[in-house]
Amino acid sequence: MIYNPKLICLVSGIAAATSVFAAEPSAFEIRNYAPRIENTLIKEVKFEAADKKLYRAYNGVSADKAGIDGSNALVFTRQAGKKVELYATITLPKITAGTDYVAEVMVRGENLKNASSKRPFYCLAAESRVVATGKMANWRDGTTRIYGELPGSEFRKVELNFKGKKGLQPFILLTLPGGFEGTLCFDDLKIYKKGLPSTLTLTAPALQMFRTDNGKFEVSVTTARVSDPLLLAILHRDKKILRSVIVRPDLDNVFRGDFGKDLEEGEAGLMLIFADAASKEKIGTLDLECSIESIDGE
């Protein structure tokens, strides 16, 4: 929802404009909004005994007490000189083309070593099938891997970012790749659909430099899915608020505000909080260093 004329509510001794809209939230309320959780969980596998239908393991087992805090974990072991394939596949709900996803899993190793592989180590990948045929997609088009060091004896998180592509349906691959020997344990696999990030940009004043007689500023925001957008701008120094203002966007979706005149000269901080008043969520924040120069200062 875009308001025009915009409502600007000034705090710290500056008069507030009246409005026919519902009462605006206070600066205190906005600062205490919960951050929006942008990522949506689309699948989770804990590798407990009850989770066996959620994945297909090839030469791997769900081992008791091998996981985090004594839970089960998916365990692969390759003995010296053996060439057995060790992997598991996890199907995903229908993936949206052009949308970003992230898979994360906890991983640890026991006596892992590179015995003969000429490729770097990886244990997490997204591979794909062609929707129209069900066949495996071309490796270049349908595969994303995350390479890294051999896991140590303590669990650590491994993350893989991948994007949905038109005509392809990805699945998750967990593996102890060929040429590597030892034991590899997986626990708490989660796949998220990533939300669209928000980007805040201070476009005025130039060089983040206010004048003592001119507190005007402009902020552009790139985002999506905001029902009731507003911006809280706070000018502060030494942990004290100098001025604050709540701004609604103009029709061009640019936030234009004014801290007023008679600003105190010197270095200052500028905090910008972009929020959705409808859901009472903080969408994005930006902290900047700025300066306030005297009228005669050059």
Side-chain angles (χ1 to χ4, degrees):
M1 182 182 298
I2 302 299
Y3 294 97
N4 192 32
K6 64 186 176 182
L7 167 67
I8 300 180
C9 176
L10 298 178
V11 188
S12 300
I14 303 175
T18 59
S19 172
V20 297
F21 301 112
E24 288 289 89
S26 68
F28 177 81
E29 289 173 320
I30 296 170
R31 292 182 69 179
N32 284 280
Y33 281 171
R36 172 170 289 183
I37 301 175
E38 290 290 350
N39 292 347
T40 302
L41 182 67
I42 63 171
K43 189 152 189 177
E44 181 177 18
V45 185
K46 293 183 174 293
F47 301 108
E48 300 297 327
D51 289 350
K52 288 185 177 180
K53 293 183 179 180
L54 300 179
Y55 65 96
R56 295 185 64 183
Y58 299 83
N59 300 309
V61 297
S62 174
D64 185 33
K65 299 182 179 180
I68 299 172
D69 298 328
S71 61
N72 282 30
L74 176 63
V75 179
F76 295 117
T77 299
R78 182 178 288 115
Q79 304 292 342
K82 302 294 183 180
K83 295 184 179 181
V84 61
E85 291 190 78
L86 302 171
Y87 66 95
T89 58
I90 298 91
T91 59
L92 299 176
K94 185 178 179 180
I95 296 300
T96 304
T99 298
D100 292 314
Y101 297 83
V102 59
E104 59 182 45
V105 67
M106 302 300 291
V107 180
R108 71 176 178 88
E110 298 175 7
N111 302 314
L112 283 177
K113 67 176 183 178
N114 186 344
S116 59
S117 178
K118 296 181 180 180
R119 297 179 179 179
F121 176 83
Y122 78 97
C123 61
L124 173 62
E127 299 193 354
S128 303
R129 295 186 181 277
V130 179
V131 174
T133 65
K135 295 182 179 180
M136 289 295 297
N138 177 281
W139 187 90
R140 184 182 299 275
D141 295 331
T143 299
T144 305
R145 293 177 178 175
I146 179 70
Y147 295 99
E149 299 178 353
L150 291 173
S153 59
E154 300 294 329
F155 273 106
R156 65 178 178 87
K157 183 187 295 185
V158 177
E159 293 186 357
L160 173 74
N161 293 286
F162 62 99
K163 184 183 290 289
K165 294 185 178 181
K166 185 176 181 180
L168 300 181
Q169 175 62 30
F171 60 90
I172 298 301
L173 176 75
L174 305 178
T175 184
L176 177 55
F180 292 88
E181 297 174 355
T183 296
L184 189 60
C185 304
F186 295 92
D187 202 2
D188 288 357
L189 172 69
K190 297 177 181 178
I191 300 95
Y192 295 92
K193 179 181 179 180
K194 298 179 71 173
L196 296 176
S198 300
T199 302
L200 284 74
T201 304
L202 181 70
T203 54
L207 304 177
Q208 299 166 201
M209 184 186 299
F210 293 93
R211 294 291 189 180
T212 53
D213 69 334
N214 187 350
K216 293 182 178 180
F217 63 88
E218 295 184 6
V219 176
S220 63
V221 177
T222 302
T223 190
R225 300 192 307 276
V226 179
S227 301
D228 194 5
L230 56 78
L231 179 79
L232 170 62
I234 301 174
L235 194 62
H236 59 91
R237 179 183 293 139
D238 299 328
K239 299 182 179 181
K240 295 182 179 180
I241 296 176
L242 302 178
R243 303 278 173 89
S244 66
V245 56
I246 298 171
V247 189
R248 292 289 187 174
D250 284 332
L251 292 178
D252 58 1
N253 290 324
V254 175
F255 292 87
R256 293 178 174 89
D258 190 351
F259 288 120
K261 299 182 179 181
D262 301 321
L263 299 176
E264 184 179 343
E265 183 179 0
E267 300 298 315
L270 177 63
M271 176 185 291
L272 303 173
I273 301 176
F274 176 57
D276 188 342
S279 62
K280 300 186 184 324
E281 293 174 307
K282 285 188 286 191
I283 310 302
T285 61
L286 180 64
D287 291 305
L288 299 170
E289 294 181 355
C290 63
S291 63
I292 303 170
E293 304 293 335
S294 66
I295 299 175
D296 299 326
E298 297 292 342

